[in-house]
Amino acid sequence: MDSTITITKELLDNIFDHCKRDYPYECCGILIGDFDSKRVDRILGAENLRKDRMNDRYEMNPKDLIEGERLARELSLDVIGYYHSHPDHPNRPSEYDRQRAFAGMSYIIVATKEGKETDPKSWLLSEESQQFIEEIINII
Amino acid sequence: MGIKVGVPAPLRQYCDKQKEIELEGQKVKDILDSMSSNYSLLYDKICDEDGSVRQYVNLYVNGVDIKKKDNLETQVTASDAISIIPAVAGGRSHRFHYIQ
């Protein structure tokens, strides 16, 4: 069955703004919402700790991950996934992404071309196959 | 009185859909032992075969990574809260992952 993640245009634009602002470096953030319906209600930008390779790697600051969990709990929501950018690179997950992915979470990857054009895709790591499956992004 | 352990949404299927479970123990390793007895499928997602916490899973006691404390020997009391939080990292690569 196809998986769909729902997000407002405003929140998606906020993610795009983050990707453009941090270009040519990879940015990252947290998706907070309802896990069962896969609806994003909030996003939280996070610090990329990979200062040595910010153009092609990201590692989310654990402080931001803890803050994401705290905020989700306060709002009676869940952390349902994460986003990151691929500057001047396709929005497909790399093997490096797959090895570090957590099954059941959604991963929105935004291809950011020359810091101007943004193109998102969302991916879900299958628990069974440990392979990424593309999710439909339902923009409302 | 047990120690509260927050469970990330994708793993709640392994603990009767609970956002938080209570487990008994005085150290983090005791909590994991209790998890193994009471929620074995959840435990398997947190720890590997030799009992180590999996590479891309982090455990926090009151927001502090157990690796910055005494790791599995970290003491806990009833007022403490443990969080299971995935490590989140990745990045683009010249080698793409095969996609279904």
Side-chain angles (χ1 to χ4, degrees), chain A residues 26 35 55-60 62 65-66 69 76-79 82 84 86-87 89-90 92-100 102-105 123 127 129 131-133, chain B residues 6-14 17 19-20 45-46 55-58 60 63-65 68 83-100:
Chain A
E26 292 205 9
F35 182 74
N55 62 323
D56 66 351
R57 290 283 183 271
Y58 79 94
E59 180 183 335
M60 219 174 270
L65 290 168
I66 292 165
E69 288 289 339
S76 297
L77 296 169
D78 300 306
V79 171
Y82 312 98
H84 73 277
H86 278 181
H89 214 69
R92 296 166 56 194
S94 64
E95 175 62 14
Y96 191 82
D97 285 328
R98 191 192 70 83
Q99 289 170 355
R100 289 154 181 77
F102 200 77
M105 292 290 190
W123 306 91
E127 176 90 51
S129 66
Q131 306 288 316
F132 271 116
I133 298 165
Chain B
V7 181
L11 297 184
R12 290 179 198 151
Q13 60 184 305
Y14 304 114
K17 301 274 184 188
K19 286 190 171 187
E20 201 170 74
K45 300 295 174 189
I46 306 301
Q55 188 177 3
Y56 299 114
V57 175
N58 290 321
Y60 296 85
V64 180
D65 193 332
K68 293 180 179 173
S83 305
I84 304 164
I85 298 182
V88 184
R92 66 186 171 91
S93 166
H94 296 295
R95 281 181 60 225
F96 285 112
H97 167 59
Y98 174 74
I99 294 159
Q100 287 182 324

Side-chain angles (χ1 to χ4, degrees), chain A residues 64-120:
Chain A
D64 295 319
L65 290 168
I66 292 165
E67 174 58 17
E69 288 289 339
R70 190 204 62 75
L71 181 61
R73 201 164 47 246
E74 182 182 293
L75 298 170
S76 297
L77 296 169
D78 300 306
V79 171
I80 67 169
Y82 312 98
Y83 69 86
H84 73 277
S85 61
H86 278 181
D88 296 322
H89 214 69
N91 46 22
R92 296 166 56 194
S94 64
E95 175 62 14
Y96 191 82
D97 285 328
R98 191 192 70 83
Q99 289 170 355
R100 289 154 181 77
F102 200 77
M105 292 290 190
S106 294
Y107 290 82
I108 292 179
I109 301 177
V110 182
T112 309
K113 189 179 176 189
E114 296 175 347
K116 294 170 187 164
E117 295 173 34
T118 48
D119 182 19

Side-chain angles (χ1 to χ4, degrees), chain A residues 12-29:
Chain A
L12 197 56
D13 283 342
N14 289 343
I15 291 174
F16 292 163
D17 287 345
H18 188 187
C19 296
K20 292 174 187 172
R21 199 166 56 243
D22 284 15
Y23 179 90
Y25 302 125
E26 292 205 9
C27 75
C28 53

Side-chain angles (χ1 to χ4, degrees), chain B:
Chain B
M1 183 86 177
I3 310 291
K4 290 185 171 67
V5 180
V7 181
L11 297 184
R12 290 179 198 151
Q13 60 184 305
Y14 304 114
C15 58
D16 307 320
K17 301 274 184 188
Q18 297 176 89
K19 286 190 171 187
E20 201 170 74
I21 55 177
E22 281 197 17
L23 297 169
E24 302 288 336
Q26 295 182 324
K27 294 180 177 181
V28 171
K29 69 176 183 182
D30 303 331
I31 300 296
L32 292 173
D33 286 344
S34 176
M35 185 187 290
S36 175
S37 302
N38 293 286
Y39 303 100
S40 60
L41 294 176
L42 176 62
Y43 174 83
D44 289 345
K45 300 295 174 189
I46 306 301
C47 296
D48 58 24
E49 294 76 10
D50 69 2
S52 305
V53 177
R54 291 185 182 277
Q55 188 177 3
Y56 299 114
V57 175
N58 290 321
L59 299 180
Y60 296 85
V61 175
N62 302 330
V64 180
D65 193 332
I66 62 166
K67 292 195 281 288
K68 293 180 179 173
K69 298 170 78 98
D70 293 325
N71 219 324
L72 297 181
E73 298 293 326
T74 302
Q75 297 274 350
V76 287
T77 64
S79 60
D80 292 330
I82 295 178
S83 305
I84 304 164
I85 298 182
V88 184
R92 66 186 171 91
S93 166
H94 296 295
R95 281 181 60 225
F96 285 112
H97 167 59
Y98 174 74
I99 294 159
Q100 287 182 324

